[in-house]
């Protein structure tokens, strides 16, 4: 149980982040949600989570591409529920294109959100974890943090960067009770992946179902998506006492993708 612990999950209005927020709420943590969405959607999610935890559930819509908004987010957490004990760096975006035609602004956005935001949130929350002598930083990287695919230069660079950042901060915190790990999902069926399936179907003139099958069989030997719930359960495990000595790792949940 994570009673009285405060978990900040970035990008938790959708997909994997929401799945992690749900599983941490079931452990009774205070939950700070973040991400984009309509006020109605955010109200619905907040209400759902409040039914799962006896802790607080709050939302802050910081755009994590902006340092000043990240500072506001962390100050909001500290003011409302105290310093962050569990930091889940999850918010991320994707863009698929050959490098010659990769839009420069997409490169900058992906590096800013998928990599730099993890640095900023870590820098701003670590002192609080050290003060309390307990903390968990879990960076949602990707199988693309371990191996590459063509036409995803920014994403692969950012996710390899996240794995490197994870190792570096794990060494800086090794003697404390703060652990720092990366989780490396393969395909998980979320809006981020649905968009890629639609793009594949359009480009190849095939059905959504065929494109889904092609996407899985190209990379994921299990031919089965991992789920946000499973990733949430892995985060719960990483927050447990059993995981006290797991730090600096990059843990795949990828149906065998990176075993090939
Ligand atoms: P998603 O599109 O469902 O969710 C992304 C979340 O990030 C949303 O809540 C969105 O509002 C938020 N977000 C986007 N831009 C933001 C910004 N500027 N500031 C704050 N929040 C922002 O995506 P997902 O598939 O759940 O992906 C979550 C993470 O998991 C990403 O880092 C992604 O790279 C990683 N990942 C996903 C898969 C997969 O197959 N879906 C695989 C490996 C890794």
């Amino acid at each position: 149980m994570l009673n009285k612990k405060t978990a900040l999950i970035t990008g938790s209005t959708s997909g994997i982040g929401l799945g992690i927020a749900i599983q941490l709420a079931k452990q009774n943590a205070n939950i700070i949600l973040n991400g984009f969405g309509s006020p109605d959607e955010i109200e619905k999610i907040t209400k759902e989570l409040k039914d799962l935890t006896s802790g607080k559930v709050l939302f802050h819509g910081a755009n994590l591409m902006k340092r000043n908004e990240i500072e506001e987010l962390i100050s909001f957490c500290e003011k409302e529920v105290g310093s962050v004990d569990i930091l889940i760096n999850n918010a991320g975006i994707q863009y698929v294109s050959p490098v010659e035609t990769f839009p420069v602004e997409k490169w900058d956005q992906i590096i800013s959100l998928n990599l730099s935001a993890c640095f900023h949130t870590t820098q701003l929350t670590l002192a609080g974890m050290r003060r309390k002598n307990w903390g968990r930083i879990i960076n949602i990287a990707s199988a693309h943090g371990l191996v590459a695919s063509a036409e995803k230069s920014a994403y692969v660079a950012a996710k390899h960067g996240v794995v490197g950042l994870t190792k570096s901060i794990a060494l800086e915190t090794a003697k404390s009770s703060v652990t720092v790990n990366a989780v490396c999902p393969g395909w998980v069926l979320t809006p981020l992946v649905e968009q890629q399936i639609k793009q594949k179907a359009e480009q190849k003139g095939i059905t959504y179902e065929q494109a889904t099958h092609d996407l899985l069989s190209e990379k994921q030997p299990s031919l089965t998506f991992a789920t946000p719930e499973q990733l949430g359960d892995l985060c719960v495990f990483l927050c447990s006492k059993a995981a006290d000595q797991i730090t600096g790792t990059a843990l795949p949940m990828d149906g065998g993708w990176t075993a090939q």
Side-chain angles (χ1 to χ4, degrees):
M1 281 303 218
L2 297 169
N3 292 29
K4 299 206 174 88
K5 301 278 191 223
T6 293
L8 166 61
I9 306 105
T10 70
S12 44
T13 53
S14 168
I16 294 172
L18 178 56
I20 295 170
I22 290 171
Q23 297 312 99
L24 290 175
K26 287 182 190 165
Q27 299 298 313
N28 262 338
N30 295 316
I31 302 290
I32 310 292
L33 298 164
N34 156 261
F36 300 150
S38 70
D40 283 355
E41 279 165 352
I42 288 161
E43 198 190 317
K44 187 170 163 270
I45 292 168
T46 308
K47 198 169 166 296
E48 250 173 59
L49 288 176
K50 278 185 178 159
D51 289 341
L52 299 176
T53 176
S54 58
K56 285 191 181 174
V57 180
L58 299 165
F59 169 79
H60 193 287
N63 177 350
L64 302 183
M65 290 187 202
K66 298 183 177 169
R67 168 79 185 201
N68 66 318
E69 294 196 24
I70 298 176
E71 287 172 0
E72 284 167 21
L73 168 65
I74 304 304
S75 301
F76 169 82
C77 296
E78 286 170 354
K79 186 166 160 270
E80 297 294 331
V81 274
S83 60
V84 173
D85 303 294
I86 300 165
L87 170 64
I88 313 280
N89 282 314
N90 165 79
I93 47 172
Q94 174 62 287
Y95 193 82
V96 182
S97 163
V99 70
E100 295 96 320
T101 51
F102 208 94
V104 172
E105 70 274 14
K106 290 287 179 199
W107 170 274
D108 288 341
Q109 286 168 3
I110 289 174
I111 298 299
S112 167
L113 181 63
N114 295 19
L115 176 57
S116 301
C118 303
F119 158 77
H120 294 302
T121 52
T122 299
Q123 188 180 59
L124 293 165
T125 55
L126 192 51
M129 294 182 195
R130 285 195 194 274
R131 242 189 336 266
K132 290 187 192 162
N133 201 28
W134 192 89
R136 295 288 190 258
I137 299 175
I138 303 174
N139 296 320
I140 307 304
S142 168
H144 283 120
L146 302 170
V147 295
S149 293
E151 304 193 350
K152 294 186 175 177
S153 53
Y155 188 85
V156 170
K159 294 299 187 181
H160 274 67
V162 168
V163 171
L165 178 73
T166 302
K167 291 179 186 175
S168 191
I169 312 295
L171 292 178
E172 291 184 29
T173 53
K175 291 193 175 65
S176 74
S177 296
V178 176
T179 67
V180 189
N181 291 286
V183 167
C184 298
W187 293 124
V188 185
L189 193 55
T190 67
L192 181 139
V193 167
E194 280 166 11
Q195 196 189 323
Q196 291 175 66
I197 297 172
K198 280 182 200 147
Q199 193 182 344
K200 210 183 211 352
E202 270 167 34
Q203 278 170 356
K204 295 195 168 168
I206 54 178
T207 62
Y208 183 87
E209 288 67 31
Q210 186 60 46
T212 305
H213 178 263
D214 290 358
L215 180 111
L216 282 170
S217 49
E218 201 186 321
K219 299 281 183 189
Q220 196 142 311
S222 67
L223 299 181
T224 307
F225 289 106
T227 66
E229 187 184 358
Q230 289 166 339
L231 285 154
D233 284 340
L234 180 55
C235 290
V236 169
F237 168 71
L238 286 172
C239 290
S240 72
K241 201 165 166 39
D244 275 355
Q245 286 304 312
I246 299 179
T247 195
T249 68
L251 290 168
M253 185 186 278
D254 64 5
W257 179 327
T258 53
Q260 299 176 96

